[in-house]
Amino acid sequence: MPRSRQRDRHAPPAPERQKKDPAPPTKPALPRDHEPLARLLQLAGLGCWEVDLASGQMVCSQETLNIYGLPAAQAPASLEAVLQAVHPQDRELLRSTLTELPEREGMVSLEHRVPAAGGERIVHQLAEAVRGPEGRVLRLVGAVQDVTRLRHSERRLQLLSQVFESTSEGIAVSDEQGAIFLVNAAFCQLTGLSAQDCRGRRLTELGDQPLSLASLRQAQQALALKGGWSGEITGHRPDGEATSFWLTVSALQRPQEAATNYVWALRDISPIKRSQEQATYLAYHDALTGLPNRLLFNDRLEMAIAHAQRTGQTLAILFLDLDNFKNINDGLGHAVGDQLLKDLSARLRELVRREDTVARLGGDEFILLLEGKQDPDYSVRVAQRILDSLAQPFSIKGHQLYVTGSIGITIFPDDGQDLETLVANADMAMYRAKAQGRNSYSMFTPAMNSRVKKRMDLEGALRRAVEQEEFTLHYQPKVDLGSGGVVGLEALVRWQRPGEGMISPGDFIPVAEDTGLIVTIGHWVMQEACRQMRSWHEQGFRDLHVSVNLSPRQFQEKDLVPSVHSTLAAAGLEPRFLELEVTESMVMSEVEEAIVILQELADLGVALSMDDFGVGYSNLYYLKRFPMNNLKIDKSFVRDISTQPDDRSIVDTIINMSRCLKLKVIAEGVETSEQLAFLRELNCDLMQGYLFSRPLPAEEISDLLASNRRLA
Ligand code: C2E
Ligand code: MG
Ligand code: MG
């Protein structure tokens, strides 16, 4: 400002200026016949003026006076008076332009400012020199217009367009049908598309489809319902990397028009999300070890308690405190101490299942939450594993470091119903473990403590029993009802626990199953049973078979089938003389896999028997699909067969059904002659029970076989 545009730079030489004094102050006005024109100009906001060069007198229209802020009473007598109303910084240019006007040809256009109340006005000035017939310049005439609002809104538009182009938010504007007609630079940058690519297309039709269609459709549906939408949508950046955008769609109703435009504003929020995730991670994790901190632990425990309350499950909390960490920290420095805590954290994570939480509370205090299927023994096993693991030295910066820990254990719901109580009681139990001489664990409830201790003792003794081969087998005859003779023998394991006598499988098989020791024990049972049966065959009892019970854990072993095969081969026993007893619960959890395994066993040539039938699923459909040879009616039905009509009809049904499925039926637990009579009447094939013989050691069975006694 001011800007001046000249229509003609080759103006004729300046006419001689008349150096006359200004005219006497008569009131200037436009000639009368100009008045309608003046009115029109006023309506258009245009002012005009004229300076007579001969007299130097100036005539202004009312609008000109308004524009220059001059009251009508002080109508300027000369150009100079108008110039005084112009902004001082623009005044000289206007003056010189007008002074030089007589020397120019054509019109001059320029803008200048006029100070006004509350700001300044922008005035557009058009002026030209008017010549007489001989070419002499007679007058200067001009038109002025207040263009303040026009210029301001132009400037505003310019600013808005700069903002539109420079904002980091990608913006696309579409018509009512969603066809894009305007995009900014950021939109192109975010989507990797050019303005040309976008023009006339919908967001769902963009070439490389940077925004996921499913997300867009969801946005469009909401848009149709509500007229606006904002939310997170997925997509990918031009380099192909998956990202999240925040999309805001707003409808723009154009004034006085039915049509609506839509503004689609797109922001790449993955950096924000990443930093949020980072911030959340830092808030919930221990900076040194990367383990969950107290906050996250509390969160998880609260959730686990709520879940356990709904499902009736139990939870265990283990509070671990190192016994001698301070010595290491003080003696070898914090760097070594820190590394020890890190290594320990890694070890702790290895000792538990994925669903369990290991957290660091601070210092050398750790806390574990054991979730899911939970028994007190699991928590104790984990505690023992932690102590065993601590017994292995940590080697850090050339040092072999030994630490021990004390662990307190609480079980939900027995030892507390809420977070605070459970943690406080675990802490208390931990102090009890420290008081007991450290390097140990303690359950919060004394009763639990002794139960667990007994169980742990049993586990330890069982481990030794496996090493020392303290097991033996008893055999119980299976009797054919027709002949009354022994057709087979069921091998039943016994544990001769030193100092405790003979322990029945009911007391130790569940522990062996939990600890996995059953696999070794079961393997031994099978070897021994096959070896013994081969020996009886050699003694002349040629048609006898031996039955071996399989445990669920053994059934899951990958090498079960090859192991059975090699055991038979090693014993030199034909497969048809081995029968494997399985239970329904074992095979029903993974039916299809079980069918495959059972079929492989059947293909080996061994016989299969369904043990304890009637107490489990008793599912006939599956029974038909399993390649079974025999079915053993559970002893609970046999027990009451002579007194309970219901049990009698159940047994009757099982026997009839087995006939249809071409299965042989054996009744177990036959103790009385009444039971025998009923079973005979129902045409049961085979029997087993104290009535005929208790399970006996092999030598006694040899005597029994040699006596050739009829047992039924
Ligand atoms: P099971 O396979 O159903 O074995 C039959 C159980 O009933 C045996 O108990 C047997 O002694 C008992 N029994 C036999 N006749 C009578 C009777 O007339 N009346 C009563 N009340 N009981 C009778 P045991 O030997 O204590 O075995 C219990 C369970 O332990 C067995 O049930 C079997 O599931 C499991 N088991 C035994 N030995 C082994 C083994 O070597 N491996 C595996 N995995 N499990 C075994
Ligand atoms: Mg059995
Ligand atoms: Mg049984």
Side-chain angles (χ1 to χ4, degrees), residues 310-550:
R310 273 200 311 280
T311 56
Q313 282 176 345
T314 58
L315 304 169
I317 286 113
L318 273 65
F319 200 115
L320 163 69
D321 186 284
L322 298 183
D323 295 327
N324 49 350
F325 180 68
K326 200 174 170 315
N327 301 346
I328 292 172
N329 229 3
D330 294 351
L332 298 170
H334 287 258
V336 174
D338 283 357
Q339 192 55 48
L340 178 87
L341 292 173
K342 280 200 221 172
D343 291 1
L344 169 62
S345 304
R347 283 197 196 176
L348 290 176
R349 270 269 31 121
E350 292 284 303
L351 296 176
V352 294
R353 305 164 304 187
R354 276 174 66 89
E355 62 264 38
D356 298 328
T357 299
V358 179
R360 180 174 174 229
L361 296 182
D364 60 349
E365 279 183 353
F366 293 84
I367 194 159
L368 286 81
L369 165 64
L370 311 180
E371 283 189 74
K373 191 176 163 282
Q374 188 52 244
D375 56 302
D377 305 328
Y378 174 63
S379 57
V380 165
R381 274 204 298 283
V382 172
Q384 188 58 57
R385 267 187 241 157
I386 295 174
L387 298 181
D388 292 348
S389 162
L390 288 177
Q392 306 300 315
F394 290 86
S395 89
I396 296 165
K397 297 195 186 243
H399 303 280
Q400 292 283 97
L401 301 178
Y402 288 86
V403 280
T404 59
S406 300
I407 302 167
I409 306 170
T410 40
I411 305 289
F412 168 88
D414 303 7
D415 301 335
Q417 299 283 327
D418 56 66
L419 181 150
E420 289 79 18
T421 319
L422 285 165
V423 174
N425 288 348
D427 193 11
M428 214 186 298
M430 184 274 288
Y431 275 104
R432 201 185 305 144
K434 279 214 193 284
Q436 279 163 9
R438 306 178 169 225
N439 194 19
S440 67
Y441 59 83
S442 170
M443 307 279 299
F444 176 70
T445 317
M448 194 84 88
N449 234 354
S450 68
R451 196 184 85 83
V452 163
K453 193 166 169 334
K454 233 170 113 183
R455 161 80 192 231
M456 293 308 288
D457 285 351
L458 184 67
E459 233 183 86
L462 199 55
R463 266 175 225 285
R464 277 192 301 281
V466 171
E467 283 160 22
Q468 317 273 310
E469 299 186 354
E470 292 167 2
F471 300 101
T472 177
L473 286 186
H474 282 187
Y475 296 90
Q476 188 175 34
K478 292 182 182 176
V479 181
D480 182 278
L481 268 198
S483 68
V486 177
V487 292
L489 295 148
E490 178 173 8
L492 294 159
V493 69
R494 301 287 179 264
W495 175 18
Q496 276 168 314
R497 189 175 173 186
E500 307 262 345
M502 192 77 85
I503 304 201
S504 78
D507 294 330
F508 71 86
I509 295 267
V511 182
E513 181 74 28
D514 274 359
T515 51
L517 288 169
I518 190 71
V519 177
T520 320
I521 298 173
H523 191 63
W524 176 84
V525 169
M526 200 166 328
Q527 276 178 334
E528 178 55 19
C530 291
R531 190 201 56 74
Q532 180 60 56
M533 189 41 72
R534 165 77 204 225
S535 150
W536 279 321
H537 280 189
E538 281 166 357
Q539 288 167 38
F541 310 111
R542 299 226 168 265
D543 295 329
L544 291 180
H545 71 262
V546 67
S547 305
V548 169
N549 293 286
L550 276 191

Side-chain angles (χ1 to χ4, degrees), residues 490 581 611-612 632 634-635 668:
E490 178 173 8
E581 296 194 3
D611 205 354
D612 304 342
K632 280 181 108 167
D634 190 70
K635 48 183 175 292
E668 65 177 15

Side-chain angles (χ1 to χ4, degrees), residues 588-603:
M588 289 302 285
S589 55
E590 299 283 352
V591 171
E592 300 306 323
E593 281 169 34
I595 290 174
V596 172
I597 298 168
L598 290 172
Q599 191 56 56
E600 283 174 14
L601 288 169
D603 292 344

